[in-house]
Amino acid sequence: MKATISGPSNMVITSRDPGAAASEAFRVLRTNLQFMGLDKPLKSIVVTSATPGEGKTTTVVNLAVAFAQTGARVCLVDADLRRPRVAKSLGIPNWSGLTTALVNKESPAGYFQSTMEPGLSALTSGPIPPNPAELLGSSRMTTLLAELEERFDIVLVDSPPVLAVTDAAVLAPKVGGVVLVTRAGVVGRHQALRAKEALEAVKANVLGVVLSAVTAEGRDGYYYYYYQSGDTDRAARK
């Protein structure tokens, strides 16, 4: 698919300012995920949150760029079929995409869009459907993800918040793992635990948590924090 690319938005700091400390934080997250896949490479990861407004799209887009900057072939899929934001974040159109391929039972290959980051392709949401959870839970979605895993080194999927709708829960078992984003001061520990439990209830492989938007006292910017249960906590900060 040919498309006009206007360029990434300011939220894609890994592309706009690779030398920034926040960009380094996303690279740390990328590295942690790579180490978790040493024995069995993680081919597909869903990034979600407990509730809206926690920074899941910002996280998944910057993580996708960080992976592409290593030379990996990356596909970023917008499976938030209720409030899609990947296309706007990357400065590309969203006339067709994931929903088009699913409804028409077509290969997603015809709907990939290039981005300004070499190695990063995007499969935007396409038109918003009346039945997002049914589409994402379908066998066709399973087949589509398998095709993406064959074509790319890593597939990153943006999905709706876990506690808001069922979409992330039906999508999570279809991928290699799930990263949960939670925003400091917005979601309490109880809600974060509920989101984690909802994912574990469907046998999702919860890889860890990113804590976003923790302002460093006396400094400009955020901390981004990532952990895996049972491992030593790792942090990257701006």
Side-chain angles (χ1 to χ4, degrees):
M1 172 181 291
K2 294 182 179 179
T4 301
I5 304 175
S6 62
S9 68
N10 287 338
M11 67 186 281
V12 192
I13 191 168
T14 44
S15 179
R16 176 171 52 87
D17 188 1
S23 297
E24 177 62 20
F26 286 112
R27 289 192 288 270
V28 169
L29 174 58
R30 176 200 68 202
T31 301
N32 287 343
L33 292 170
Q34 289 172 322
F35 273 111
M36 293 174 67
L38 285 179
D39 293 330
K40 183 180 179 182
L42 287 166
K43 293 288 291 183
S44 55
I45 300 172
V46 160
V47 177
T48 187
S49 59
T51 61
E54 298 190 67
K56 66 178 181 62
T57 301
T58 299
T59 299
V60 73
V61 172
N62 281 282
L63 182 59
V65 172
F67 268 107
Q69 288 171 343
T70 68
R73 297 168 300 160
V74 184
C75 184
L76 175 57
V77 181
D78 194 345
D80 189 339
L81 304 183
R82 299 170 191 269
R83 296 181 62 187
R85 295 181 59 214
V86 166
K88 183 177 180 180
S89 300
L90 294 174
I92 57 179
N94 190 27
W95 302 313
S96 58
L98 176 61
T99 58
T100 320
L102 291 173
V103 170
N104 294 339
K105 299 181 179 180
E106 297 175 329
S107 168
Y111 300 98
F112 296 149
Q113 294 191 53
S114 299
T115 70
M116 294 190 74
E117 188 65 42
L120 174 59
S121 298
L123 180 61
T124 61
S125 68
I128 296 177
N131 56 339
E134 287 79 1
L135 280 179
L136 296 177
S138 67
S139 60
R140 176 63 195 140
M141 185 65 188
T142 304
T143 301
L144 183 145
L145 285 170
E147 182 175 340
L148 294 179
E149 288 183 356
E150 289 182 1
R151 288 176 174 268
F152 295 91
D153 297 316
I154 184 73
V155 179
L156 298 173
V157 184
D158 187 13
S159 77
V162 177
L163 300 183
V165 289
T166 62
D167 302 25
V170 300
L171 189 59
K174 300 178 183 291
V175 298
V178 180
V179 169
L180 183 65
V181 178
T182 181
R183 189 178 183 92
V186 173
V187 171
R189 185 171 182 271
H190 177 67
Q191 285 179 301
L193 286 174
R194 280 180 55 209
K196 180 174 178 287
E197 290 166 358
L199 291 168
E200 291 176 338
V202 296
K203 309 299 182 183
N205 178 22
V206 181
L207 301 170
V209 175
V210 172
L211 182 63
S212 69
V214 181
T215 305
E217 185 176 354
R219 297 188 61 176
D220 179 29
Y222 303 129
Y223 286 135
Y224 290 91
Y225 179 79
Y226 173 82
Y227 77 90
Q228 179 190 10
S229 178
D231 280 359
T232 302
D233 290 351
R234 306 174 180 94
R237 72 177 188 175
K238 177 180 180 184

